[in-house]
Every structure is written in C-alpha cells, then in structure tokens.
Amino acid sequence: MNNNQQILYLRLRKFIRLTKGKPIYLGQIAQVIIDPEWEMILKKLLIIQPEDKKNLVIDLMMIIKKVKEVLPDVTIEYFGEPHVFVEFEENKPSPNIIFIALVWLLLFVGSGLAIMNFHADVSMEEVHQKIFTYVTGEETESPLLLQIPYSLGLGIGMILFFNRLFKKKFSEEPSPLELEMFMYKENLNQFQITKQFQKNDKRNGSDDGTIS
C-alpha cells in the first residue's frame, strides 16, 4: 500500500466508557477518516493497554506517535478536544434494598421537614386562612378547600419541575437536576485531565497517560 500523501482526519471523543482491563484501539476513542485501504487498519490500531486504574486520559500526542509508527508520512488534521477521558466500567454488586429504603426514608423525612419549616417561617397556614376568608367570607382554622389542592399541586409541581416520574420523562428537555449532574461531571473530568497533565509535567514528558 502506498502511504505517501495520506491525510488523516481525526476527531477525538471527549468522553468514553469502556470495559476495564481490555486494550484500547483508535476506533474506540476517535472518529477516523482516511483512504479506505488504511481506515480499518487505523481503527484497529492499539493505542494503550491500560493498567488497573479507574480513569485514563489519552493525549493527542500519544495517538499521533502511534499513528506515525504505522504511517510515517501521514498528515494529521484533528478537530475537537486534544485528549480523551476514559472511564472504566466495573462489575457493580446488586443494590441493597434495605440501604435504598433507608436512604429513601431519610430523604423523604428530610424534605418533608424542610417544607414544613418553610411554611412555618412564612406563616402559610395564616395565609390560607385569610385567602379562604376573602374568597368565601367565612372564617375557619382549617381551610381544606385550599390546603388539599395546594398540597397536591406542590407534589405535581415538583414532578413537572424535575421532568421525571420514576423512569418516565414528560419531555426531552433536561431537568435542572440533570443539568447540574452534567456540569458536575464536566468539571470532574476537566479536573482529572488537568491533574494528569500536571503529573506528566512533573515526570518531564512521560508517555504514561494513566491517572492514579
């Protein structure tokens, strides 16, 4: 095969989750565009055999070095991020039903107390009594006509706000909780990448792309 005048277009994936302990190939971590005679060869190019780590950062320079060993004269045009963050999947034990029930109970009681304390701070009961009096002209200590719909509306509002009821979503828009989790994951990945580059600088350019 003629490897002269070859141009490799490379787009690294920003984040990928792979099986722990298995070798990582270029086709798993990047999109590759090149002449068909070289495309499958490069997709099956071994990049690294990971050690027993939880995370791994693969730098673009490592990938270029591996590609140049196969195609010395190739011109590489890359797009996107200059590194790939790899997270390894582990066999997780089955969830403990008792532990889940205790956590659910703790969250239920805690959120209930938070709502009740908020209502006490803003004198919600008195507000309901006054609204009931203004609307009906009657005074009562327990305006259930307002309190029951209010309680139901509070729960329905929380479901609509988080856009989820168990596994069912009401729309494709992400919920505030999903956005917060996404931003947390992004910041965590960026921290891991920065940490790894700092380690590489201390090792004076070591090729090891793993994270402790």
Side-chain angles (χ1 to χ4, degrees), residues 151-200:
S151 300
L152 295 175
L154 187 63
I156 294 173
M158 293 298 292
I159 292 174
L160 295 177
F161 179 76
F162 288 106
N163 192 25
R164 182 178 292 274
L165 179 61
F166 299 105
K167 294 184 178 181
K168 179 178 176 58
K169 293 188 68 176
F170 300 102
S171 68
E172 295 300 322
E173 294 184 3
S175 68
L177 182 60
E178 288 175 323
L179 290 175
E180 286 297 324
M181 292 300 297
F182 174 80
M183 293 302 301
Y184 169 77
K185 189 66 177 179
E186 285 285 301
N187 292 334
L188 180 61
N189 291 348
Q190 189 59 46
F191 170 79
Q192 297 276 29
I193 291 169
T194 303
K195 179 182 176 182
Q196 178 57 37
F197 285 152
Q198 291 174 347
K199 287 185 177 181
N200 289 343

Side-chain angles (χ1 to χ4, degrees), residues 52-68:
D52 188 18
K53 306 278 180 145
K54 292 183 178 180
N55 301 313
L56 177 71
V57 176
I58 300 178
D59 187 33
L60 177 64
M61 299 305 294
M62 179 192 302
I63 296 174
I64 293 176
K65 180 179 178 180
K66 294 290 185 178
V67 171
K68 288 288 186 178

Side-chain angles (χ1 to χ4, degrees), residues 108-159:
F108 179 80
V109 174
S111 60
L113 288 174
I115 293 173
M116 288 188 291
N117 288 334
F118 168 76
H119 286 170
D121 289 340
V122 299
S123 302
M124 185 64 71
E125 184 177 8
E126 295 180 11
V127 172
H128 283 172
Q129 292 171 352
K130 290 181 179 180
I131 293 176
F132 185 84
T133 301
Y134 293 152
V135 173
T136 65
E138 300 178 1
E139 294 186 1
T140 178
E141 293 184 356
S142 301
L144 299 180
L145 190 63
L146 289 178
Q147 291 176 338
I148 293 176
Y150 174 80
S151 300
L152 295 175
L154 187 63
I156 294 173
M158 293 298 292
I159 292 174

